[in-house]
Amino acid sequence: MLGTRLTLAIEGGLPLPEAGRIAVFAPRAGADLSALPKDRVEVVTGFRPDHVAFERQGYAVKTAAEGPYAAALVCLTRAKAEARDLIARACAVSEGPVIVDGQKDEGVDSMLKAARGLGQVSVPLSKAHGKLFVIEGGDFSGWRAPSGQVVDGWQTAPGVFSADGVDPASALLAAALPPLSGHGADLGAGWGYLSAEALKASPKIAALALVEADHAALDCARFNVTDPRASFDWADATTWKPARMLDFVLMNPPFHQSRNADPELGRAFIRAAAGAMTPRGVLYMVANAHLGYEAVLAENFGEVERIGGDRSFKLFRAERPSRQRTPAGLGSGKGRQRGQA
């Protein structure tokens, strides 16, 4: 666990400055930062549920680093390009040590090896299936991700879901959508592909809210979706509430919070969709073929119909929502490679 490794490192003589702000990049909600002086910590995260969680604990929280800092801590993410970019950003804004922490199954060993080739790196501390090491010098500027990464005409960013191009499940759903009208939302909109296609195909859509928990993905969506009917909400889709009840909802919900599949996340998306729509509202959804969402769809909608799919994915149309309450705090968004239905 991060808290254990950090405590042991500090007790073992980690060169932590006695004054000045300490930036903590990309910690997940529930991460133990108690070994650091809370009044000096500034959490830097663009994932809305994590942002809210640390804000509620009384930490200073920002979506982007505003250096200089006396030191920095980087919590590695699963996406290699994103993790390297975080380290490069931390090195650029820290006047002191940059602490890097990660799990072995998230690539911390390969990151340690690569970092040793670029700078002065401490002997790692290994504990609880993870490692912590300290960068005290070197040039990591080559790890910065290029801004405005464009793939097949779409802007994406390191670590966001489907950063390398259009997700086949979203493409399948987009191709199957009928003409839409009224007010709608794309829950877990990612970098905006599904919304862009829906708006292009349906001139009778009055307004479409793109709801996405990952700040970087939503910034990309603002670039990719220029239709004036679109609006952009940085929010946890499982707890988001529309300004007015919706006529339709589109979604390709994530089903990972970490490396382990968590179908409850997709179920929470379904409940949130039902709770956001008018009695005549319609949900259009794509899911991985192996995920059993039929029961929760039947619990939250009066009519559920499978409208297509292939060997990998299944498409659903559900209407007459029951608008049951949605459990809070499950998180949302396609960003930071959480996996996707």
Side-chain angles (χ1 to χ4, degrees):
M1 298 293 289
L2 167 62
T4 301
R5 290 190 292 272
L6 197 55
T7 298
L8 290 173
I10 292 173
E11 291 175 350
L14 176 72
L16 199 65
E18 295 182 359
R21 293 181 303 153
I22 302 168
V24 180
F25 289 81
R28 295 304 313 272
D32 181 6
L33 304 180
S34 61
L36 300 175
K38 188 173 184 178
D39 60 338
R40 294 169 55 199
V41 168
E42 189 167 280
V43 173
V44 182
T45 176
F47 189 56
R48 185 63 180 171
D50 296 342
H51 193 283
V52 171
F54 285 105
E55 202 169 45
R56 286 176 176 167
Q57 293 178 48
Y59 285 96
V61 188
K62 293 186 180 297
T63 57
E66 297 178 3
Y69 296 93
L73 165 64
V74 175
C75 303
L76 291 182
T77 59
R78 289 174 59 194
K80 184 176 180 180
E82 182 189 25
R84 288 190 170 192
D85 183 64
L86 287 173
I87 291 174
R89 290 175 183 272
C91 290
V93 297
S94 176
E95 296 176 334
V98 172
I99 307 159
V100 180
D101 184 89
Q103 295 296 110
K104 292 181 180 179
D105 62 1
E106 292 174 341
V108 68
D109 288 321
S110 63
M111 195 64 67
L112 170 61
K113 182 178 179 180
R116 281 174 168 159
L118 295 174
Q120 301 167 21
V121 178
S122 70
V123 175
L125 184 154
S126 298
K127 186 74 175 179
H129 306 291
K131 285 186 178 179
L132 180 151
F133 61 91
V134 181
I135 298 171
E136 296 187 81
D139 182 6
F140 290 82
S141 59
W143 281 8
R144 284 292 297 267
S147 59
Q149 172 181 315
V150 177
V151 180
D152 297 330
W154 301 97
Q155 182 167 302
T156 71
V160 304
F161 171 72
S162 197
D164 297 328
V166 175
D167 168 53
S170 294
L172 190 69
L173 179 57
L177 289 175
L180 302 169
S181 62
H183 290 73
D186 180 355
L187 299 187
W191 48 257
Y193 170 79
L194 184 57
S195 291
E197 294 297 295
L199 287 164
K200 182 170 64 176
S202 297
K204 291 188 178 180
I205 291 178
L208 182 63
L210 282 72
V211 183
E212 172 55 46
D214 189 270
H215 201 274
L218 197 63
D219 279 346
C220 293
R222 289 188 176 96
F223 179 88
N224 294 324
V225 185
T226 57
D227 193 299
R229 294 171 293 169
S231 61
F232 305 88
D233 285 10
W234 181 45
D236 179 340
T238 66
T239 58
W240 175 78
K241 302 297 181 185
R244 57 169 290 169
M245 302 309 285
L246 304 173
D247 301 300
F248 66 90
V249 169
L250 314 174
M251 66 183 189
N252 176 8
F255 64 94
H256 283 78
Q257 288 273 55
S258 61
R259 296 187 72 89
N260 299 317
D262 180 13
E264 181 55 32
L265 186 54
R267 297 184 189 111
F269 266 67
I270 292 168
R271 297 184 191 107
M277 286 192 282
T278 70
R280 294 185 179 182
V282 183
L283 167 67
Y284 293 95
M285 171 183 167
V286 61
N288 274 49
H290 70 278
L291 294 174
Y293 290 136
E294 287 82 354
V296 71
L297 283 165
E299 290 169 2
N300 287 272
F301 292 87
E303 289 186 33
V304 179
E305 175 188 7
R306 184 164 174 175
I307 59 172
D310 57 23
R311 294 182 62 182
S312 300
F313 307 107
K314 48 192 175 184
L315 304 176
F316 293 102
R317 180 182 189 275
E319 57 183 317
R320 293 198 292 116
S322 61
R323 305 221 305 258
Q324 297 181 19
R325 294 188 65 184
T326 306
L330 284 166
S332 72
K334 299 183 178 65
R336 296 182 57 192
Q337 294 287 9
R338 281 175 173 73
Q340 187 70 16

